[in-house]
């Protein structure tokens, strides 16, 4: 099954090189999404029987990450059916788009399933190369600038991560392995100095892909310029893939007993990421850029929760699920807004409820989900993090955390409300009559499904999902 999930997109891409047909290209994306989701379910729910292949495998930790990636990709693929119709009759354009989507998802899948740090590093670099074209896809002045910034900054980050891997290898002495099982087994024999130094480089390196401040500069531009389905994948799945590798490296320090060093680094980058969002959220003129900064905030919450440990680890896993669902819904809905108003400027979008009530409500409910409004799953995760801070007597960090989240909530809330309500000008009303035809039911359904899950899981977590979460905790 692992071989199939990795080989299928390679075969599909090979076929797309020769069959340049928009229907076939879109079919391959949908087929891979279905195969990916079906195999991911089989792998996660038959974890004990799942067979690994060289360098790749499913374990307690990566199962949930794979499931989240697979489900989000399926939802994006459904939305994509309506989105690509607006490309017109450009078979070549749809073909290239579909081909790069397949490679992008393949790269993230490889990074998640990798059981070797070196292989994971290679696949993370592959995500940069494959998604750079997708960021540049609209071929505007801003998109090419965003793509170059993305490649430049992430290449520096991946180089830093490579230096960290070298330091980790030096600290092993005579062991000389990058296999995670072996690293965990012999971690207590490593040199603490080299291990600490390697974590600094890898946290900054992989933290660049995760979007942690102060190495987050690529993220607002890339997420705001990419097509909306790609923005959803970047925010809801790519960032998780990088976070998974950071967790795996963090576990090595935890086993060795020098994790306080790593926790300090995570505290700093976590708080700084939330602070950066709180500062910039009031100066943003582009609504997709606002969502990008929200992703930086939520990655900061994940880093902070990991550093706190204890009950906050359960919260971190809930937050991964909740953020991925809510943010994917938010970005896909932003695609609807863009199709309707043909602008990303916040001031140019008013009366969304008049233009298209379904999009308006999806926009509002997505905001409520991402801002932890009860019964959002993010409300539970953030509540548990705050509770753990109180139990650990981390009152100053807790107060700072709550204040910054409140600032972000207010900043995003006023934008969402101003866009959702108000009057449409005659000019906009005439535009909407034409652009509304671009939207079809598949451009609403994925958001509805994901938002229902966000708010239902905040009330009731099924036993099977709770078992997966508990297994994931053992991998931290």
């Amino acid at each position: 099954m692992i071989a199939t999930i990795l080989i299928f997109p390679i075969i599909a891409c090979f076929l797309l090189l020769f069959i340049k047909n928009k229907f076939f290209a879109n079919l391959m994306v949908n087929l891979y999404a279905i195969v990916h989701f079906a195999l991911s379910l089989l792998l996660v729910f038959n974890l004990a029987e799942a067979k690994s292949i060289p360098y790749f495998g499913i374990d307690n930790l990566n199962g949930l990450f794979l499931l989240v990636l697979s489900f989000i990709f399926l939802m994006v693929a459904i939305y994509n059916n309506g989105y690509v119709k607006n490309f017109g009759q450009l078979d070549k354009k749809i073909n290239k788009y579909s081909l790069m989507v397949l490679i992008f998802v393949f790269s993230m899948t490889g990074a998640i399933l990798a059981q070797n740090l070196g292989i994971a590093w290679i696949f993370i670099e592959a995500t940069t190369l494959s998604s750079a074209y997708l960021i540049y896809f609209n071929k505007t002045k801003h998109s090419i600038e965003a793509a170059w910034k993305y490649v430049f900054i992430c290449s520096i980050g991946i180089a830093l991560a490579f230096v960290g891997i070298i330091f980790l290898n030096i600290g092993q002495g005579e062991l000389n392995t990058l296999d995670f099982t072996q690293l965990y087994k012999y971690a207590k024999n490593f040199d603490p100095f080299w291990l600490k130094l390697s974590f600094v480089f890898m946290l900054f390196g992989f933290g660049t892909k995760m979007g942690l401040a102060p190495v987050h500069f690529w993220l607002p531009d890339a997420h705001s310029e990419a097509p909306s389905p790609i923005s959803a994948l970047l925010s809801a799945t790519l960032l998780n893939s990088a976070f998974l590798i950071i967790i795996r490296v963090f576990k090595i320090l935890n086993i060795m007993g020098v994790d306080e060093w790593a926790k300090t680094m995570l505290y700093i980058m976590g708080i700084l990421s939330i602070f950066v969002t709180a500062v910039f959220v009031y100066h943003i003129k582009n609504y997709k850029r606002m969502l990008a900064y929200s992703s930086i905030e939520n990655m900061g919450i994940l880093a902070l929760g990991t550093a706190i440990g204890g009950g906050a680890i359960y919260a971190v896993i809930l937050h991964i699920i909740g953020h991925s669902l809510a943010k994917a819904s938010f970005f896909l809905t932003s695609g609807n807004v863009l199709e309707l108003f043909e602008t990303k400027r916040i001031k140019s979008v008013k009366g969304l409820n008049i233009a298209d009530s379904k999009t308006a409500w999806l926009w509002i409910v997505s905001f409520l989900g991402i801002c932890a409004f009860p019964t959002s799953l993010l409300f539970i995760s953030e509540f548990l993090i705050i509770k753990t801070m109180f139990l650990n007597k981390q009152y100053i960090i807790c107060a700072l955390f709550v204040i910054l989240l409140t600032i972000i909530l207010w900043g995003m809330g006023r934008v969402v409300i101003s866009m959702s309500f108000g009057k449409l000008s005659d000019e906009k009303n005439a535009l909407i009559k034409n652009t509304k035809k671009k939207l079809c039911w598949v451009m609403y359904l994925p958001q509805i499904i994901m938002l229902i899950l966000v708010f239902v899981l905040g009330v009731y977590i099924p036993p099977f999902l709770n078992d997966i979460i508990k297994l994931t905790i053992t991998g931290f």
Side-chain angles (χ1 to χ4, degrees), residues 64 314 317-318 321 465-473:
L64 183 130
Y314 186 85
I317 299 166
L318 293 182
I321 300 169
L465 180 58
N466 202 42
D467 290 340
I468 295 172
I469 293 170
K470 288 178 181 178
L471 277 175
T472 308
I473 291 173

Side-chain angles (χ1 to χ4, degrees), residues 5-22:
I5 210 170
L6 292 172
I7 292 172
F8 184 96
I10 298 173
I11 296 172
C13 288
F14 182 77
L15 292 173
L16 287 176
L17 292 175
F18 298 97
I19 306 174
K20 293 180 172 58
N21 176 275
K22 66 177 184 179

Side-chain angles (χ1 to χ4, degrees), residues 157-174:
I158 212 72
L160 291 173
F162 185 72
V163 173
I165 292 171
I166 292 172
F167 287 152
L168 175 63
N169 195 257
I170 293 171
Q172 294 175 23
E174 297 180 359

Side-chain angles (χ1 to χ4, degrees), residues 348-378:
S348 300
V349 180
K350 300 286 182 184
L352 184 56
N353 64 323
I354 300 171
D356 184 24
S357 59
K358 294 187 288 295
T359 296
W361 280 110
L362 288 172
W363 188 244
I364 293 168
V365 178
S366 295
F367 161 71
L368 295 176
I370 207 68
C371 285
F373 187 86
T375 61
S376 168
L377 187 58
L378 279 82

Side-chain angles (χ1 to χ4, degrees), residues 239-303:
L239 307 186
N240 292 344
S241 304
F243 180 52
L244 172 63
I245 301 173
I246 292 173
I247 294 170
R248 289 196 183 277
V249 179
F250 175 76
K251 185 176 179 179
I252 301 171
L253 278 80
N254 194 7
I255 292 170
M256 193 176 183
V258 292
D259 55 335
E260 288 303 319
W261 169 264
K263 287 180 179 179
T264 302
M265 298 292 298
L266 287 169
Y267 271 122
I268 294 170
M269 295 184 78
I271 289 292
L272 188 58
S273 298
I274 302 170
F275 175 76
V276 164
T277 303
V279 170
F280 281 94
V281 76
Y282 286 89
H283 305 283
I284 297 171
K285 299 177 182 179
N286 179 321
Y287 54 83
K288 284 191 71 180
R289 197 175 181 88
M290 177 187 72
L291 302 188
Y293 272 103
S294 173
S295 295
I296 296 169
E297 169 217 350
N298 283 280
M299 292 305 104
I301 292 173
L302 294 182

Side-chain angles (χ1 to χ4, degrees), residues 148-208:
W148 275 112
K149 184 185 286 188
Y150 173 61
V151 171
F152 179 71
I153 294 175
C154 288
S155 295
I156 292 173
I158 212 72
L160 291 173
F162 185 72
V163 173
I165 292 171
I166 292 172
F167 287 152
L168 175 63
N169 195 257
I170 293 171
Q172 294 175 23
E174 297 180 359
L175 182 60
N176 195 28
T177 183
L178 293 177
D179 181 79
F180 289 121
T181 304
Q182 295 295 310
L183 290 172
Y184 299 152
K185 185 177 180 180
Y186 297 103
K188 291 182 179 179
N189 300 327
F190 295 170
D191 187 317
F193 170 78
W194 290 109
L195 193 56
K196 289 179 181 179
L197 190 60
S198 72
F199 183 79
V200 173
F201 278 86
M202 280 193 268
L203 179 60
F204 273 88
F206 292 118
T208 302

Side-chain angles (χ1 to χ4, degrees), residues 354-468:
I354 300 171
D356 184 24
S357 59
K358 294 187 288 295
T359 296
W361 280 110
L362 288 172
W363 188 244
I364 293 168
V365 178
S366 295
F367 161 71
L368 295 176
I370 207 68
C371 285
F373 187 86
T375 61
S376 168
L377 187 58
L378 279 82
F379 171 78
I380 305 300
S381 63
E382 290 178 13
F383 175 82
L384 289 175
I385 289 173
I386 292 169
K387 177 186 174 182
T388 309
M389 287 180 185
F390 266 98
L391 293 174
N392 294 347
K393 298 180 180 180
Q394 298 170 311
Y395 303 123
I396 296 175
I397 295 176
C398 182
L400 185 61
F401 180 68
V402 172
I403 291 169
L404 291 175
L405 290 186
T406 305
I407 293 170
I408 295 166
L409 170 64
W410 173 257
M412 290 183 65
R414 66 174 190 161
V415 170
V416 170
I417 296 301
S418 70
M419 290 173 61
S420 300
F421 303 101
K423 293 183 179 180
L424 279 173
S425 64
D426 293 338
E427 182 185 349
K428 290 292 182 184
N429 204 21
L431 175 67
I432 296 299
K433 286 181 181 179
N434 294 320
T435 57
K436 195 172 181 179
K437 298 174 184 176
K438 295 180 181 180
L439 303 183
C440 55
W441 66 273
V442 291
M443 298 177 78
Y444 302 107
L445 181 63
Q447 297 96 299
I448 293 171
I449 293 171
M450 289 187 284
L451 290 173
I452 289 172
L453 286 175
V454 167
F455 285 95
V456 169
L457 290 175
V459 178
Y460 173 72
I461 298 177
F464 72 87
L465 180 58
N466 202 42
D467 290 340
I468 295 172

